[in-house]
Amino acid sequence: MPLPVPVLPEGVDPAWLPPAAFRAVGGRRTLIRGSGPLVETVHGEVAEACRRFGGRVVRDASDDGPYDLVLGLGADGLGDEGFTLAREGGTTTVTASGGRGLLYGLFHVVRLGEAAFTGERSRRTHRPALALRMLDHWDNVAVHPVMGQVERGYAGGSLFWEDGRARGDLERVRAYGRLLAACGINAISVNNVNVHATEARLLTDRIGDVAAIAGALRPYGIRTHLSVSFAAPLLLGGLPTADPLDGAVRAWWAEATRRVYEAIPDFGGYVVKADSEGQPGPFAYGRSHADGANLLAAALEPFGGTVHWRAFVYDHRQDWRDRTTDRARAAYDHFVPLDGRFAPNAVLQVKHGPMDFQVREPVSPLIGAMPRTRLAVELQVTQEYTGQQRHVCWLGPMWSDVLGFPIEPGASVGESARGGLVAVSNAGDDPFWTGHPLAQANLYTFGRLAWRPDADPGAVLDEWIGLTYGPGPAAGLHAVLDGSWRTYEKYTAPLGVGFMVQPGHHYGPSVDGYEYSPWGTYHFADRDGVGVDRSVATGTGYAGQYGKPWAEVYESADSCPDELLLFFHHVSYAHLLASGKTVIQHIYDTHFEGVEEVEAARDVWAGLVDLVDPARHRRVAELFEEQLRSAREWRDQINSYFFRKSGVPDAHGRRIY
Ligand code: GCW
């Protein structure tokens, strides 16, 4: 039986799968061959498109057509997710070995639109570069008194949970799974890595809720994962310890995991934040993080599951007077000595930068330094530090730079991420899914880059624009989004120094907000200069964590790239950048430019009023006013702060307060 496509609740935006995107497919004669649950998903998609656009679809017919489109299982050797596409003699043929491959092949045809049905195409194989393409949701089941329903969520409530309970109606979850499959995502973790009391119980007596979500996502090829508390044996099992080497603890995890698989046979595995920002972990028992990860890996192994163990471990109670402790060093210092000690089904999940998803960070040196460990790289789609989905900030170029960065000899970050690519989702129950309608582009781009880390991000952006908005406003949308990350960088913290955000919620400027805090994020500005000395020669030694050539490149202020200068070095305001400007003049210029670029983008958007549907247009126009207000605030606070510290006037005499 074909699976009907999900029906969106009234008023919910279809995002990159509006009916119009299926026009080319829906007007054809289509043959579908094969059986299995995902083939039923494919059939449902084509049937719905035909219903709208007048085509017809048949199943496993013995006649030879003619057919415009044949979607069939059959080919060998493509893996579960690969497919081939060819067009010959008026028939477009997608062949796959597994159901997921067929679904991805169908969505590929949807992206191509009419082009999939014109001319000839020689057979081409498409396969994801990374086997795991995952979204982590930082969703709480119960509303958290400080963090709310979704930690760092800027798109309303959770898609899965509402006020202490699983949502009863999973149609929206199905629709979400469909959107994710259409950009290539194949795994989701459904709860916050900060596991509070209610959430901990998802592992045991509330596993049925997780099973229901997994059931809604499965037809779109998405496996469900769960964040668990390392202290679960204490919290839920009544054991006196959670020591990873204790026999009773190991038995408890084995049994708990067996029950999880009873409820969810294709369960993906656990995600763990341990000994990090107050979460429990193996350090309490004098054990290593390899001991901790391997405990869960052993429980999951009989069922084919994986533990994602996060490397975001650092001291968040440090003393700002202590100049030797450097948060940037922490992940490397903790984990490199453990290389080779993780079980084969343990994946170490590493944030792409050494700090915390700032608008500009170097690539984490940990990524190239653990050759005997499966690493997954973690990105942040939710815009915690990049405008919180009130600012337009399309992150495709940043992620593409990160993924293409040659961190090891002969290997880019994308190639080193053998454990996959993971991102913190930006979606919620907001009618536009992502709060800011244009933040949908980030979610889509993440999926496509996880499928192909070397894809051209600009082409991915155009793909998203084409599917979501059609050709009318395409040029304007491209102009608004394409440079928006660099614009955001210009009006916020300069030259890689990071933070300077308001403590707690992290929105808006506060230059000294974290300067005397225990969280370990400082800029050290004084009357002479600014920046953090992370050199080996005179600083924290962080630069020495890189291999060649990066250790040398970052060690010296002369060879360090401008955009990371203040991350690696404390320099005077008169220091000359490679660009030829002084640091102080660079700060002034970029902050004025950043605001001007937001003004220009707002005007381009205003000009699209007749080309974009009114609800989306209005929402974005309103948000541009907030972005502009906030960008001006950033500009004026940063410029005034550095003018007052340095006493150096702007060379162009512009207004500084
Ligand atoms: O970016 C920081 C956030 C925390 C988050 C943490 C993490 C889930 O401010 O809210 O906690 O990272 O990645 O664990």
Side-chain angles (χ1 to χ4, degrees):
M1 280 290 284
L3 181 76
V5 303
V7 179
L8 284 175
E10 184 72 27
V12 172
D13 188 83
W16 52 87
L17 293 179
F22 290 81
R23 186 179 302 277
V25 168
R28 314 282 159 172
R29 293 157 300 180
T30 297
L31 169 65
I32 296 175
R33 287 204 185 102
S35 62
L38 271 76
V39 178
E40 303 305 335
T41 306
V42 169
H43 187 167
E45 289 288 345
V46 178
E48 171 63 15
C50 290
R51 191 185 66 76
R52 280 183 191 272
F53 298 107
R56 73 191 165 80
V57 54
V58 297
R59 208 47 197 277
D60 297 315
S62 48
D63 67 277
D64 287 334
Y67 295 105
D68 308 302
L69 176 62
V70 177
L71 296 157
L73 291 186
D76 289 332
L78 296 169
D80 182 43
E81 301 197 306
F83 62 91
T84 65
L85 175 70
R87 181 168 168 84
E88 222 186 328
T91 303
T92 301
T93 306
V94 173
T95 314
S97 318
R100 284 187 191 176
L102 201 65
L103 184 62
Y104 295 142
L106 168 67
F107 284 127
H108 189 81
V109 171
V110 169
R111 281 193 294 272
L112 289 172
E114 277 306 318
F117 300 97
T118 45
E120 303 272 297
R121 269 173 196 271
S122 51
R123 181 170 307 277
R124 221 188 111 193
T125 301
H126 300 259
R127 269 197 195 93
L130 299 171
L132 182 107
R133 307 175 300 280
M134 177 165 176
L135 282 176
D136 282 3
H137 276 258
W138 287 351
D139 296 16
N140 298 316
V141 177
V143 176
H144 184 270
V146 179
M147 291 299 171
Q149 186 82 65
V150 180
E151 181 154 346
R152 312 307 179 185
Y154 313 104
S158 167
L159 287 164
F160 309 120
W161 318 103
E162 191 177 27
D163 213 4
R165 277 186 302 277
R167 285 180 182 274
D169 179 3
L170 293 175
E171 195 67 353
R172 182 99 194 249
V173 173
R174 286 207 321 123
Y176 185 51
R178 178 175 183 246
L179 284 170
L180 299 186
C183 65
I185 288 161
N186 67 0
I188 283 193
S189 148
V190 294
N191 63 311
N192 192 355
V193 291
N194 290 326
V195 183
H196 311 292
T198 308
E199 290 71 19
R201 289 174 46 206
L202 293 174
L203 174 64
T204 52
D205 55 319
R206 298 187 69 169
I207 192 66
D209 289 352
V210 184
I213 294 168
L217 296 171
R218 188 174 295 116
Y220 295 95
I222 294 167
R223 281 174 93 176
T224 297
H225 300 237
L226 192 64
S227 292
V228 295
S229 168
F230 193 77
L234 292 162
L235 296 173
L236 307 168
L239 297 188
T241 176
D243 181 349
L245 301 190
D246 181 278
V249 169
R250 298 182 76 81
W252 187 87
W253 276 108
E255 175 58 14
T257 306
R258 191 186 63 73
R259 286 172 189 267
V260 169
Y261 277 88
E262 235 167 50
I264 312 169
D266 60 350
F267 180 67
Y270 300 137
V271 179
V272 189
K273 171 175 178 176
D275 292 317
S276 167
E277 301 184 334
Q279 291 297 302
F283 285 163
Y285 309 98
R287 310 298 185 194
S288 77
H289 276 236
D291 294 331
N294 291 346
L295 161 75
L296 301 182
L300 290 158
E301 195 277 332
F303 309 98
T306 304
V307 57
H308 284 251
W309 191 268
R310 295 179 83 232
F312 185 59
V313 178
Y314 69 100
D315 180 2
H316 71 288
R317 296 203 182 92
Q318 73 183 68
D319 184 343
W320 59 269
R321 299 165 191 85
D322 162 21
R323 295 291 288 254
T324 60
T325 306
D326 178 6
R327 173 167 164 182
R329 292 187 56 120
Y332 183 104
D333 286 342
H334 281 299
F335 286 97
V336 168
L338 302 177
D339 189 27
R341 290 183 46 199
F342 287 92
N345 63 326
V347 166
L348 188 64
Q349 188 165 310
V350 184
K351 290 193 182 188
H352 68 85
M355 298 296 277
D356 197 9
F357 302 132
Q358 300 304 291
V359 68
R360 175 75 69 172
E361 289 188 36
V363 163
S364 168
L366 189 54
I367 295 169
M370 297 190 68
R372 292 179 297 151
T373 305
R374 274 170 75 195
L375 289 187
V377 172
E378 184 180 304
L379 308 175
Q380 195 181 42
V381 183
T382 194
Q383 290 170 240
E384 176 178 1
Y385 295 101
T386 50
Q388 303 199 347
Q389 281 136 257
R390 286 180 253 181
H391 297 219
V392 184
C393 186
W394 174 59
L395 295 163
M398 172 166 91
W399 297 333
S400 174
D401 285 358
V402 166
L403 293 168
F405 185 82
I407 185 75
E408 306 181 67
S412 65
V413 168
E415 289 159 341
S416 301
R418 295 187 305 276
L421 200 62
V422 181
V424 186
S425 179
N426 66 350
D429 72 352
D430 166 72
F432 294 100
W433 299 92
T434 52
H436 200 304
L438 300 182
Q440 289 174 8
N442 283 327
L443 191 55
Y444 183 85
T445 301
F446 165 71
R448 299 291 286 145
L449 288 178
W451 180 279
R452 256 197 73 181
D454 63 351
D456 168 15
V460 172
L461 176 62
D462 288 338
E463 204 177 271
W464 173 79
I465 292 172
L467 287 168
T468 311
Y469 288 84
L477 270 154
H478 189 100
V480 163
L481 282 155
D482 194 32
S484 56
W485 164 58
R486 281 174 202 283
T487 297
Y488 186 84
E489 179 180 28
K490 283 183 177 180
Y491 62 77
T492 57
L495 296 165
V497 75
F499 284 88
M500 300 189 170
V501 289
Q502 294 191 26
H505 57 72
H506 298 163
Y507 185 75
S510 174
V511 180
D512 282 336
Y514 279 103
E515 196 58 11
Y516 307 101
S517 91
W519 295 89
T521 56
Y522 312 118
H523 56 71
F524 300 118
D526 59 22
R527 67 179 181 178
D528 300 316
V530 55
V532 188
D533 184 355
R534 294 192 160 104
S535 69
V536 175
T538 53
T540 69
Y542 167 79
Q545 292 185 337
Y546 289 87
K548 273 187 170 60
W550 304 112
E552 288 96 278
V553 168
Y554 296 141
E555 176 68 16
S556 153
D558 296 329
S559 50
C560 182
D562 283 354
E563 68 273 12
L564 290 171
L565 185 68
L566 302 184
F567 191 90
F568 283 101
H569 297 281
H570 185 91
V571 297
S572 76
Y573 294 116
H575 177 94
L576 221 46
L577 295 168
S579 70
K581 286 184 185 176
T582 60
V583 164
I584 189 73
Q585 194 57 42
H586 172 95
I587 291 174
Y588 297 149
D589 287 353
T590 49
H591 284 78
F592 285 111
E593 279 164 30
V595 172
E596 284 158 18
E597 288 171 15
V598 177
E599 286 165 351
R602 178 197 56 176
D603 294 347
V604 171
W605 182 260
L608 301 179
V609 64
D610 297 326
L611 301 171
V612 168
D613 73 84
R616 280 187 190 142
H617 195 273
R618 203 175 325 112
R619 179 78 162 259
V620 173
E622 284 162 14
L623 287 164
F624 259 125
E625 293 311 313
E626 166 54 18
Q627 181 174 0
L628 199 49
R629 183 206 63 75
S630 173
R632 288 178 179 142
E633 194 62 28
W634 270 100
R635 174 195 65 194
D636 293 338
Q637 287 204 25
I638 298 271
N639 283 347
S640 301
Y641 180 95
F642 285 106
F643 172 64
R644 292 176 191 179
K645 284 264 166 182
S646 70
V648 180
D650 172 34
H652 307 294
R654 287 164 294 193
R655 185 77 200 264
I656 294 177
Y657 297 84

